[in-house]
Amino acid sequence: MENLKINETNRIGGTNPYQKQSEFRADTAKKARQKDEVQISAAAKEMLTTSKLSHAERAERINELKQSVASGTYHVEAGKIAEKLLPYLNTNRSE
């Protein structure tokens, strides 16, 4: 039987499972330290500050809608609903 000799144990292709495990732990620690960040565009900020209705007018409109729904007098035009749904249905049908 021949004697086998292993040379160059530190070569590039060699594997060290302990080193890989410590690298994995280091990567996991880096990911844990990362924080989520949200940025609101200038256009979105402007939309938040400018509104068609003031807060009082909006609250009044909401109360009117609630009362009409509760009394059964709230009416929705089917044509307007269809107009708004049609683009949505057309884009989802092609998928």
Side-chain angles (χ1 to χ4, degrees):
M1 181 169 237
E2 294 181 31
N3 290 334
L4 296 176
K5 187 174 183 180
I6 299 175
N7 295 326
E8 299 178 37
T9 57
N10 293 331
R11 65 178 184 224
I12 294 174
T15 60
N16 182 346
Y18 298 107
Q19 182 179 1
K20 288 185 179 186
Q21 188 177 27
S22 66
E23 288 173 1
F24 176 75
R25 286 183 183 157
D27 288 343
T28 305
K30 285 180 186 177
K31 289 179 184 177
R33 281 182 261 160
Q34 292 177 348
K35 294 183 180 179
D36 292 337
E37 186 176 307
V38 175
Q39 293 181 352
I40 300 174
S41 69
K45 288 178 184 176
E46 184 180 343
M47 281 190 245
L48 290 172
T49 58
T50 59
S51 175
K52 293 180 182 178
L53 299 174
S54 71
H55 183 67
E57 292 171 335
R58 184 176 171 84
E60 184 180 334
R61 177 69 178 139
I62 290 171
N63 284 332
E64 289 174 6
L65 290 171
K66 285 180 180 180
Q67 289 174 357
S68 63
V69 169
S71 66
T73 59
Y74 183 73
H75 175 70
V76 179
E77 294 181 37
K80 286 187 178 183
I81 293 174
E83 281 179 22
K84 298 292 181 178
L85 285 176
L86 190 60
Y88 172 78
L89 295 173
N90 283 337
T91 57
N92 287 337
R93 184 183 302 161
S94 62
E95 293 177 359

